[in-house]
Amino acid sequence: MLKGKHIILGITGGIAAYKSVTLLRLLVKAGAEVQVVITPSGKEFITPVTLSALSGKPVVSEFFTANTGQWNSHVDLGLWADAMVIAPATASTIGKMANGIADNMLVTTYLSAKAPVFIAPAMDLDMMAHPSTVTNIERLRSYGNHIIEPASGELASHLVGKGRMEEPEKIVEILDRFFDSQGKLNGKNVLITAGPTYEKIDPVRFIGNYSSGKMGYALAEEAALQGANVTLISGPVSLKAVHPAIKVIKVESAREMCDACVSEFPTSDIAIMCAAVADYAPETVHDRKIKREHDDTPVIRLIKNPDIAATLGKMKQEGQYLVGFALETDSELKNATEKLQRKNLDMIVLNSLKDKGAGFGTDTNKVTLITADGNQQKSDLLPKRQIAELIIDSLSNL
Ligand code: PMT
Protein backbone atom coordinates (compact mmCIF):
# COMPACT_ATOMS: atom_id res chain seq x y z
CA MET A 1 0.00 0.00 0.00
CA LEU A 2 3.00 2.33 0.45
CA LYS A 3 4.03 2.24 -3.21
CA GLY A 4 4.18 5.79 -4.57
CA LYS A 5 3.07 7.36 -1.29
CA HIS A 6 4.73 10.61 -0.23
CA ILE A 7 5.96 10.26 3.34
CA ILE A 8 7.62 12.90 5.49
CA LEU A 9 9.88 11.19 8.00
CA GLY A 10 10.48 13.54 10.94
CA ILE A 11 13.50 12.70 13.10
CA THR A 12 14.21 14.33 16.46
CA GLY A 13 17.13 14.20 18.86
CA GLY A 14 16.91 10.93 20.74
CA ILE A 15 18.99 7.75 20.93
CA ALA A 16 16.26 5.91 19.01
CA ALA A 17 17.15 8.02 15.94
CA TYR A 18 19.39 5.12 14.92
CA LYS A 19 16.20 3.12 14.27
CA SER A 20 14.99 5.83 11.87
CA VAL A 21 17.63 4.70 9.39
CA THR A 22 16.04 1.24 9.24
CA LEU A 23 12.61 2.83 9.08
CA LEU A 24 13.71 4.97 6.14
CA ARG A 25 15.19 1.94 4.35
CA LEU A 26 11.99 -0.08 4.86
CA LEU A 27 9.77 2.77 3.61
CA VAL A 28 11.90 3.24 0.49
CA LYS A 29 11.96 -0.52 -0.06
CA ALA A 30 8.13 -0.55 0.14
CA GLY A 31 8.06 1.95 -2.74
CA ALA A 32 7.39 5.16 -0.79
CA GLU A 33 8.97 8.50 -1.68
CA VAL A 34 10.43 9.77 1.58
CA GLN A 35 11.44 13.30 2.53
CA VAL A 36 13.42 13.44 5.75
CA VAL A 37 12.96 16.49 8.00
CA ILE A 38 15.31 16.46 10.97
CA THR A 39 15.57 18.76 13.98
CA PRO A 40 18.92 20.41 14.76
CA SER A 41 19.43 18.05 17.72
CA GLY A 42 18.41 15.07 15.58
CA LYS A 43 21.57 15.74 13.55
CA GLU A 44 23.64 15.14 16.71
CA PHE A 45 22.46 11.53 16.63
CA ILE A 46 22.37 10.70 12.93
CA THR A 47 23.98 12.41 9.96
CA PRO A 48 22.05 13.97 7.06
CA VAL A 49 24.54 12.31 4.68
CA THR A 50 23.32 8.81 5.63
CA LEU A 51 19.69 9.91 5.43
CA SER A 52 19.96 11.68 2.07
CA ALA A 53 21.88 8.73 0.60
CA LEU A 54 19.10 6.35 1.63
CA SER A 55 16.16 8.60 0.70
CA GLY A 56 17.71 9.92 -2.51
CA LYS A 57 16.70 13.47 -1.48
CA PRO A 58 18.48 16.28 0.36
CA VAL A 59 17.55 16.26 4.04
CA VAL A 60 15.62 19.32 5.22
CA SER A 61 16.50 20.79 8.59
CA GLU A 62 16.66 24.58 8.40
CA PHE A 63 14.24 27.16 6.98
CA PHE A 64 16.97 28.17 4.47
CA THR A 65 19.72 26.14 2.79
CA ALA A 66 22.77 28.06 4.06
CA ASN A 67 24.99 28.11 0.95
CA THR A 68 22.28 28.90 -1.64
CA GLY A 69 19.78 30.85 0.46
CA GLN A 70 17.05 28.55 -0.89
CA TRP A 71 13.82 28.75 1.15
CA ASN A 72 12.56 25.35 2.33
CA SER A 73 8.79 25.72 2.28
CA HIS A 74 7.13 23.86 5.14
CA VAL A 75 3.76 24.71 3.56
CA ASP A 76 4.63 22.98 0.26
CA LEU A 77 6.03 20.00 2.16
CA GLY A 78 2.88 19.78 4.26
CA LEU A 79 0.75 19.71 1.11
CA TRP A 80 3.00 17.20 -0.70
CA ALA A 81 2.74 14.53 2.00
CA ASP A 82 0.30 11.61 2.09
CA ALA A 83 1.46 10.97 5.67
CA MET A 84 3.94 12.37 8.15
CA VAL A 85 5.73 10.06 10.58
CA ILE A 86 7.73 11.46 13.47
CA ALA A 87 9.98 8.73 14.78
CA PRO A 88 11.49 9.10 17.24
CA ALA A 89 9.44 11.88 18.80
CA THR A 90 11.14 13.28 21.91
CA ALA A 91 9.30 14.84 24.87
CA SER A 92 10.53 18.25 23.70
CA THR A 93 9.20 17.93 20.13
CA ILE A 94 5.94 16.42 21.41
CA GLY A 95 5.57 19.43 23.72
CA LYS A 96 6.24 21.87 20.86
CA MET A 97 3.80 20.10 18.54
CA ALA A 98 1.10 20.01 21.19
CA ASN A 99 1.49 23.71 21.92
CA GLY A 100 2.28 25.14 18.49
CA ILE A 101 5.85 26.20 19.28
CA ALA A 102 7.04 26.49 15.69
CA ASP A 103 10.74 27.18 16.19
CA ASN A 104 12.12 24.58 13.79
CA MET A 105 11.42 23.15 10.36
CA LEU A 106 9.95 19.90 11.71
CA VAL A 107 7.32 21.58 13.90
CA THR A 108 6.36 24.13 11.20
CA THR A 109 5.97 21.26 8.72
CA TYR A 110 3.81 19.39 11.26
CA LEU A 111 1.62 22.47 11.74
CA SER A 112 1.22 22.84 7.96
CA ALA A 113 0.57 19.14 7.25
CA LYS A 114 -2.84 18.32 5.85
CA ALA A 115 -2.08 14.59 5.80
CA PRO A 116 -2.48 12.15 8.72
CA VAL A 117 0.34 12.34 11.24
CA PHE A 118 1.85 9.36 13.07
CA ILE A 119 3.92 10.01 16.18
CA ALA A 120 6.23 7.39 17.70
CA PRO A 121 7.37 8.68 21.10
CA ALA A 122 10.70 7.49 22.49
CA MET A 123 12.16 8.58 25.81
CA ASP A 124 13.11 7.46 29.27
CA LEU A 125 10.33 5.89 31.36
CA ASP A 126 10.09 8.75 33.85
CA MET A 127 9.88 11.36 31.10
CA MET A 128 7.24 9.23 29.42
CA ALA A 129 5.20 8.99 32.62
CA HIS A 130 5.51 12.71 33.51
CA PRO A 131 2.09 14.43 33.56
CA SER A 132 3.43 17.03 31.11
CA THR A 133 4.28 14.35 28.50
CA VAL A 134 1.06 12.44 29.16
CA THR A 135 -1.00 15.64 28.70
CA ASN A 136 0.86 16.65 25.53
CA ILE A 137 0.41 13.20 23.99
CA GLU A 138 -3.29 13.26 24.86
CA ARG A 139 -3.57 16.70 23.28
CA LEU A 140 -1.90 15.46 20.08
CA ARG A 141 -4.28 12.51 20.06
CA SER A 142 -7.22 14.88 20.46
CA TYR A 143 -5.98 16.79 17.36
CA GLY A 144 -6.56 13.55 15.42
CA ASN A 145 -2.89 12.46 15.30
CA HIS A 146 -2.08 8.76 15.51
CA ILE A 147 0.11 7.87 18.46
CA ILE A 148 2.26 4.80 17.91
CA GLU A 149 2.55 3.69 21.51
CA PRO A 150 6.11 3.04 22.72
CA ALA A 151 6.92 -0.46 23.85
CA SER A 152 8.20 -1.51 27.28
CA GLY A 153 11.67 -2.93 27.69
CA GLU A 154 15.25 -1.97 28.45
CA LEU A 155 15.90 1.70 27.63
CA ALA A 156 19.09 3.54 26.72
CA SER A 157 19.45 4.45 30.41
CA HIS A 158 19.40 0.68 31.21
CA LEU A 159 16.23 1.27 33.18
CA VAL A 160 13.36 -0.99 32.24
CA GLY A 161 9.93 0.46 31.42
CA LYS A 162 7.73 2.10 28.81
CA GLY A 163 9.50 4.40 26.38
CA ARG A 164 11.14 2.30 23.63
CA MET A 165 10.29 3.54 20.15
CA GLU A 166 8.18 0.98 18.32
CA GLU A 167 10.24 -1.19 15.96
CA PRO A 168 10.57 0.15 12.37
CA GLU A 169 8.95 -3.02 10.92
CA LYS A 170 5.88 -2.43 13.10
CA ILE A 171 5.68 1.26 12.13
CA VAL A 172 5.75 0.32 8.44
CA GLU A 173 3.02 -2.26 9.12
CA ILE A 174 0.87 0.42 10.85
CA LEU A 175 1.27 2.79 7.89
CA ASP A 176 0.54 0.01 5.43
CA ARG A 177 -2.60 -0.96 7.30
CA PHE A 178 -3.65 2.68 7.48
CA PHE A 179 -3.42 3.18 3.71
CA ASP A 180 -5.09 -0.18 3.15
CA SER A 181 -8.10 0.67 5.30
CA GLN A 182 -8.32 4.38 4.44
CA GLY A 183 -11.63 5.41 3.03
CA LYS A 184 -13.41 2.18 3.96
CA LEU A 185 -16.45 4.20 5.05
CA ASN A 186 -16.25 6.67 2.18
CA GLY A 187 -19.51 8.59 1.79
CA LYS A 188 -21.31 6.58 4.51
CA ASN A 189 -23.48 8.43 7.04
CA VAL A 190 -22.58 7.28 10.51
CA LEU A 191 -24.55 8.18 13.62
CA ILE A 192 -22.73 7.83 16.96
CA THR A 193 -23.91 8.52 20.50
CA ALA A 194 -21.39 9.32 23.22
CA GLY A 195 -21.09 10.34 26.84
CA PRO A 196 -23.57 10.21 29.70
CA THR A 197 -27.08 11.59 29.96
CA TYR A 198 -28.10 13.90 32.79
CA GLU A 199 -31.62 13.52 34.18
CA LYS A 200 -32.67 16.66 36.03
CA ILE A 201 -33.92 16.49 39.63
CA ASP A 202 -34.04 20.25 40.21
CA PRO A 203 -32.13 23.25 38.77
CA VAL A 204 -28.88 22.19 40.50
CA ARG A 205 -29.01 18.38 40.66
CA PHE A 206 -29.20 15.52 38.23
CA ILE A 207 -28.85 11.75 37.94
CA GLY A 208 -25.84 10.96 35.78
CA ASN A 209 -23.05 8.43 35.33
CA TYR A 210 -19.28 8.28 34.90
CA SER A 211 -19.10 8.19 31.08
CA SER A 212 -16.45 10.63 29.80
CA GLY A 213 -17.34 10.32 26.10
CA LYS A 214 -13.79 9.12 25.27
CA MET A 215 -14.94 5.89 23.61
CA GLY A 216 -17.68 7.55 21.52
CA TYR A 217 -15.48 10.48 20.44
CA ALA A 218 -12.68 8.05 19.46
CA LEU A 219 -15.21 6.19 17.29
CA ALA A 220 -16.36 9.43 15.70
CA GLU A 221 -12.78 10.49 14.86
CA GLU A 222 -11.95 7.07 13.43
CA ALA A 223 -15.12 6.88 11.33
CA ALA A 224 -14.45 10.40 9.97
CA LEU A 225 -10.88 9.41 9.16
CA GLN A 226 -12.26 6.48 7.17
CA GLY A 227 -14.27 8.89 5.01
CA ALA A 228 -17.66 8.83 6.80
CA ASN A 229 -19.93 11.82 7.41
CA VAL A 230 -20.38 11.53 11.14
CA THR A 231 -23.23 12.83 13.27
CA LEU A 232 -22.14 12.67 16.89
CA ILE A 233 -24.97 12.99 19.40
CA SER A 234 -23.19 13.80 22.60
CA GLY A 235 -24.25 13.99 26.20
CA PRO A 236 -22.50 16.52 28.48
CA VAL A 237 -18.71 15.92 28.22
CA SER A 238 -15.64 18.14 28.14
CA LEU A 239 -14.29 16.68 24.87
CA LYS A 240 -14.20 18.39 21.47
CA ALA A 241 -14.55 16.64 18.12
CA VAL A 242 -11.64 17.63 15.90
CA HIS A 243 -12.31 16.21 12.41
CA PRO A 244 -14.26 18.58 10.14
CA ALA A 245 -16.49 15.71 8.93
CA ILE A 246 -18.03 15.37 12.42
CA LYS A 247 -21.27 17.24 13.10
CA VAL A 248 -21.93 17.41 16.85
CA ILE A 249 -25.44 17.59 18.32
CA LYS A 250 -25.29 18.34 22.03
CA VAL A 251 -28.01 16.93 24.25
CA GLU A 252 -28.49 16.52 27.96
CA SER A 253 -31.20 14.00 28.81
CA ALA A 254 -32.03 10.53 27.44
CA ARG A 255 -35.25 11.94 25.94
CA GLU A 256 -33.32 14.64 24.06
CA MET A 257 -30.80 12.03 22.89
CA CYS A 258 -33.62 9.76 21.77
CA ASP A 259 -35.35 12.56 19.80
CA ALA A 260 -32.09 13.49 18.04
CA CYS A 261 -31.37 9.82 17.20
CA VAL A 262 -34.87 9.20 15.87
CA SER A 263 -34.60 12.23 13.62
CA GLU A 264 -31.07 11.38 12.32
CA PHE A 265 -31.37 7.59 11.99
CA PRO A 266 -33.44 7.40 8.75
CA THR A 267 -30.55 8.98 6.78
CA SER A 268 -27.82 6.91 8.51
CA ASP A 269 -26.12 3.84 7.08
CA ILE A 270 -24.62 2.87 10.42
CA ALA A 271 -25.55 3.82 13.98
CA ILE A 272 -23.27 3.10 16.95
CA MET A 273 -24.87 3.51 20.36
CA CYS A 274 -21.92 4.14 22.65
CA ALA A 275 -23.60 6.55 25.10
CA ALA A 276 -24.26 5.50 28.66
CA VAL A 277 -27.95 6.38 28.69
CA ALA A 278 -29.74 6.69 32.02
CA ASP A 279 -32.46 4.06 32.19
CA TYR A 280 -34.55 6.15 34.59
CA ALA A 281 -35.38 9.82 35.07
CA PRO A 282 -37.12 11.59 37.97
CA GLU A 283 -40.87 11.67 37.39
CA THR A 284 -41.03 15.30 38.51
CA VAL A 285 -38.41 17.96 37.88
CA HIS A 286 -38.60 20.57 40.63
CA ASP A 287 -38.41 24.09 39.28
CA ARG A 288 -36.71 25.29 42.47
CA LYS A 289 -33.80 23.82 44.41
CA ILE A 290 -35.00 21.16 46.88
CA LYS A 291 -34.18 22.60 50.30
CA ARG A 292 -32.43 20.63 53.02
CA GLU A 293 -34.61 22.39 55.63
CA HIS A 294 -37.67 20.29 54.62
CA ASP A 295 -39.04 18.16 57.44
CA ASP A 296 -39.14 14.95 55.40
CA THR A 297 -36.35 13.26 53.52
CA PRO A 298 -37.35 13.80 49.89
CA VAL A 299 -38.33 10.78 47.83
CA ILE A 300 -37.50 10.87 44.13
CA ARG A 301 -39.83 8.69 42.11
CA LEU A 302 -38.27 7.46 38.89
CA ILE A 303 -39.87 6.67 35.54
CA LYS A 304 -38.39 4.64 32.70
CA ASN A 305 -36.53 6.46 29.91
CA PRO A 306 -36.97 5.32 26.32
CA ASP A 307 -34.55 2.61 25.18
CA ILE A 308 -32.92 4.45 22.27
CA ALA A 309 -31.11 1.44 20.78
CA ALA A 310 -34.29 -0.65 20.90
CA THR A 311 -36.27 2.21 19.32
CA LEU A 312 -33.78 2.39 16.42
CA GLY A 313 -33.82 -1.43 16.25
CA LYS A 314 -37.55 -1.23 15.49
CA MET A 315 -37.05 1.54 12.90
CA LYS A 316 -34.16 -0.26 11.16
CA GLN A 317 -34.54 -0.80 7.40
CA GLU A 318 -32.75 -3.22 5.06
CA GLY A 319 -29.16 -2.04 4.56
CA GLN A 320 -28.92 -0.13 7.85
CA TYR A 321 -26.50 -1.42 10.44
CA LEU A 322 -27.07 -0.93 14.17
CA VAL A 323 -24.33 -1.40 16.78
CA GLY A 324 -24.82 -1.28 20.54
CA PHE A 325 -22.50 -1.40 23.50
CA ALA A 326 -22.99 -3.49 26.62
CA LEU A 327 -21.40 -2.38 29.87
CA GLU A 328 -21.54 -5.34 32.21
CA THR A 329 -20.41 -6.29 35.68
CA ASP A 330 -21.36 -9.98 35.62
CA SER A 331 -22.67 -12.76 33.29
CA GLU A 332 -21.13 -10.60 30.56
CA LEU A 333 -21.58 -12.74 27.43
CA LYS A 334 -25.07 -13.87 28.39
CA ASN A 335 -26.27 -10.31 29.13
CA ALA A 336 -24.65 -8.81 26.03
CA THR A 337 -26.15 -11.48 23.74
CA GLU A 338 -29.56 -10.93 25.31
CA LYS A 339 -29.27 -7.14 24.62
CA LEU A 340 -28.12 -7.78 21.05
CA GLN A 341 -31.25 -9.85 20.36
CA ARG A 342 -33.76 -7.78 22.34
CA LYS A 343 -32.67 -4.49 20.73
CA ASN A 344 -32.43 -6.00 17.21
CA LEU A 345 -28.73 -5.03 16.89
CA ASP A 346 -26.33 -6.30 14.23
CA MET A 347 -23.34 -6.16 16.56
CA ILE A 348 -22.74 -5.47 20.24
CA VAL A 349 -19.47 -4.30 21.81
CA LEU A 350 -19.13 -5.86 25.23
CA ASN A 351 -16.95 -4.16 27.85
CA SER A 352 -16.80 -5.28 31.44
CA LEU A 353 -16.10 -3.27 34.56
CA LYS A 354 -14.38 -6.40 35.87
CA ASP A 355 -11.49 -5.71 33.46
CA LYS A 356 -9.05 -3.22 34.94
CA GLY A 357 -8.54 -0.29 32.58
CA ALA A 358 -11.80 -0.95 30.70
CA GLY A 359 -15.08 0.99 30.66
CA PHE A 360 -15.80 4.43 32.10
CA GLY A 361 -13.35 7.32 32.04
CA THR A 362 -10.21 5.34 31.19
CA ASP A 363 -8.06 5.98 28.10
CA THR A 364 -8.10 2.24 27.41
CA ASN A 365 -10.72 -0.42 26.88
CA LYS A 366 -10.97 -4.17 26.42
CA VAL A 367 -13.87 -5.43 24.35
CA THR A 368 -15.51 -8.44 22.75
CA LEU A 369 -17.31 -7.78 19.46
CA ILE A 370 -20.32 -10.07 19.09
CA THR A 371 -22.22 -10.14 15.80
CA ALA A 372 -25.84 -11.21 15.29
CA ASP A 373 -24.65 -14.44 13.65
CA GLY A 374 -22.75 -15.33 16.82
CA ASN A 375 -19.18 -14.44 15.79
CA GLN A 376 -16.96 -13.21 18.60
CA GLN A 377 -13.74 -11.19 18.44
CA LYS A 378 -11.88 -10.38 21.65
CA SER A 379 -9.42 -7.49 21.98
CA ASP A 380 -6.53 -6.93 24.36
CA LEU A 381 -6.53 -3.91 26.67
CA LEU A 382 -5.79 -1.12 24.14
CA PRO A 383 -6.06 2.67 23.88
CA LYS A 384 -9.68 3.63 23.06
CA ARG A 385 -8.54 4.97 19.68
CA GLN A 386 -7.25 1.48 18.77
CA ILE A 387 -10.47 -0.10 20.02
CA ALA A 388 -12.33 2.36 17.77
CA GLU A 389 -10.14 1.25 14.82
CA LEU A 390 -10.99 -2.36 15.57
CA ILE A 391 -14.73 -1.65 15.65
CA ILE A 392 -14.69 0.48 12.48
CA ASP A 393 -12.51 -2.12 10.72
CA SER A 394 -14.90 -4.93 11.57
CA LEU A 395 -17.86 -2.78 10.42
CA SER A 396 -16.21 -1.91 7.14
CA ASN A 397 -15.41 -5.60 6.55
CA LEU A 398 -19.07 -6.39 6.98
O1 PMT B 1 -17.49 7.36 27.75
P1 PMT B 1 -16.33 6.56 28.31
O2 PMT B 1 -15.87 7.08 29.66
O3 PMT B 1 -15.21 6.43 27.31
O4 PMT B 1 -16.85 5.08 28.60
C1 PMT B 1 -17.26 4.27 27.55
C2 PMT B 1 -18.50 3.45 27.92
C3 PMT B 1 -18.18 2.53 29.08
C4 PMT B 1 -19.67 4.38 28.31
C5 PMT B 1 -18.89 2.63 26.62
O5 PMT B 1 -17.82 1.80 26.28
C6 PMT B 1 -20.13 1.79 26.86
O6 PMT B 1 -20.10 0.67 27.32
N1 PMT B 1 -21.33 2.36 26.52
C7 PMT B 1 -22.64 1.77 26.79
C8 PMT B 1 -22.99 1.94 28.23
C9 PMT B 1 -24.37 1.41 28.54
O7 PMT B 1 -25.27 2.17 28.78
O8 PMT B 1 -24.50 0.12 28.43
P2 PMT B 1 -25.88 -0.70 28.69
O9 PMT B 1 -25.44 -2.12 28.75
O10 PMT B 1 -26.60 -0.14 29.87
O11 PMT B 1 -26.75 -0.40 27.40
C10 PMT B 1 -26.78 -1.25 26.26
C11 PMT B 1 -26.96 -0.46 24.98
O12 PMT B 1 -28.24 0.18 24.97
C12 PMT B 1 -25.95 0.65 24.78
O13 PMT B 1 -25.64 0.70 23.41
C13 PMT B 1 -26.70 1.91 25.21
O14 PMT B 1 -26.24 3.06 24.50
C14 PMT B 1 -28.11 1.56 24.83
N2 PMT B 1 -29.15 2.18 25.68
C15 PMT B 1 -29.20 1.94 27.01
C16 PMT B 1 -30.22 2.49 27.77
C17 PMT B 1 -31.20 3.28 27.13
N3 PMT B 1 -32.19 3.83 27.83
N4 PMT B 1 -31.13 3.51 25.82
C18 PMT B 1 -30.12 2.97 25.08
O15 PMT B 1 -30.06 3.18 23.87
Side-chain angles (χ1 to χ4, degrees):
M1 297 310 298
L2 285 163
K3 200 168 165 37
K5 290 282 186 284
H6 293 172
I7 311 282
I8 298 173
L9 173 58
I11 302 176
T12 71
I15 300 285
Y18 78 91
K19 289 187 182 175
S20 312
V21 179
T22 310
L23 178 57
L24 172 56
R25 282 208 62 208
L26 292 174
L27 288 170
V28 171
K29 216 168 144 197
E33 210 180 306
V34 185
Q35 174 63 62
V36 175
V37 180
I38 192 165
T39 60
S41 56
K43 287 190 285 188
E44 306 286 335
F45 290 85
I46 193 90
T47 74
V49 178
T50 309
L51 298 165
S52 72
L54 290 175
S55 66
K57 286 177 188 293
V59 168
V60 175
S61 183
E62 314 295 338
F63 294 108
F64 294 94
T65 306
N67 53 353
T68 61
Q70 185 194 320
W71 164 243
N72 293 319
S73 169
H74 52 88
V75 178
D76 289 351
L77 256 182
L79 293 174
W80 170 84
D82 294 309
M84 180 172 186
V85 189
I86 298 139
T90 56
S92 162
T93 293
I94 286 171
K96 288 180 185 181
M97 287 162 66
N99 294 285
I101 301 170
D103 66 351
N104 66 39
M105 189 65 191
L106 193 150
V107 181
T108 49
T109 305
Y110 162 72
L111 293 175
S112 307
K114 292 259 184 282
V117 178
F118 296 78
I119 300 162
M123 63 197 79
D124 209 50
L125 75 163
D126 293 318
M127 292 175 79
M128 189 70 214
H130 194 281
S132 151
T133 313
V134 172
T135 308
N136 285 331
I137 288 180
E138 267 328 296
R139 187 177 278 191
L140 289 175
R141 209 192 293 276
S142 78
Y143 298 159
N145 301 148
H146 302 256
I147 306 297
I148 302 176
E149 290 291 331
S152 290
E154 189 179 348
L155 304 166
S157 59
H158 302 300
L159 295 172
V160 176
K162 188 176 173 183
R164 281 172 67 93
M165 184 179 115
E166 187 52 277
E167 294 306 321
E169 290 77 7
K170 189 75 206 294
I171 296 178
V172 172
E173 193 188 308
I174 289 169
L175 287 173
D176 205 48
R177 218 176 65 84
F178 172 79
F179 284 116
D180 188 27
S181 69
Q182 209 188 13
K184 276 199 173 163
L185 295 183
N186 262 345
K188 297 280 180 221
N189 294 330
V190 178
L191 171 66
I192 297 172
T193 64
T197 61
Y198 285 180
E199 311 300 328
K200 267 202 171 112
I201 298 170
D202 69 12
V204 300
R205 303 180 179 93
F206 59 85
I207 297 173
N209 60 63
Y210 295 115
S211 172
S212 63
K214 285 179 186 172
M215 190 65 248
Y217 276 64
L219 277 163
E221 294 293 341
E222 185 57 28
L225 207 68
Q226 297 300 335
N229 306 308
V230 179
T231 301
L232 177 61
I233 301 179
S234 172
V237 295
S238 59
L239 302 176
K240 265 202 163 125
V242 178
H243 200 289
I246 305 174
K247 174 179 93 175
V248 182
I249 300 176
K250 295 236 171 206
V251 295
E252 194 170 290
S253 66
R255 286 209 164 267
E256 287 169 13
M257 186 173 273
C258 188
D259 290 346
C261 285
V262 166
S263 120
E264 294 290 329
F265 187 56
T267 52
S268 305
D269 299 295
I270 298 167
I272 309 175
M273 305 283 98
C274 183
V277 185
D279 281 316
Y280 298 94
E283 185 174 46
T284 313
V285 180
H286 294 257
D287 54 5
R288 291 194 194 167
K289 186 177 171 190
I290 302 171
K291 294 276 190 286
R292 188 184 165 79
E293 292 74 30
H294 274 302
D295 292 342
D296 304 329
T297 307
V299 173
I300 300 168
R301 205 182 128 75
L302 299 176
I303 49 165
K304 261 193 177 168
N305 271 332
D307 186 323
I308 306 171
T311 307
L312 300 193
K314 285 193 186 121
M315 290 170 64
K316 193 170 67 174
Q317 301 288 316
E318 178 89 27
Q320 283 186 306
Y321 206 81
L322 182 58
V323 181
F325 268 70
L327 180 63
E328 304 297 340
T329 53
D330 56 273
S331 310
E332 287 91 339
L333 272 176
K334 182 173 160 286
N335 290 342
T337 310
E338 185 274 321
K339 282 177 189 169
L340 172 99
Q341 288 162 354
R342 181 164 47 83
K343 299 182 191 225
N344 191 25
L345 307 174
D346 298 287
M347 180 162 99
I348 196 153
V349 181
L350 162 65
N351 42 189
S352 170
L353 288 183
K354 269 194 200 152
D355 289 320
K356 203 166 173 289
F360 283 136
T362 52
D363 291 325
T364 49
N365 208 354
K366 186 175 179 183
V367 298
T368 305
L369 311 186
I370 308 165
T371 54
D373 57 12
N375 270 331
Q376 288 182 18
Q377 187 189 348
K378 278 187 197 313
S379 81
D380 293 329
L381 184 71
L382 295 169
K384 279 186 173 157
R385 191 56 194 259
Q386 269 171 263
I387 295 288
E389 269 178 41
L390 203 84
I391 295 168
I392 298 293
D393 259 13
S394 90
L395 279 173
S396 52
N397 290 339
L398 288 161

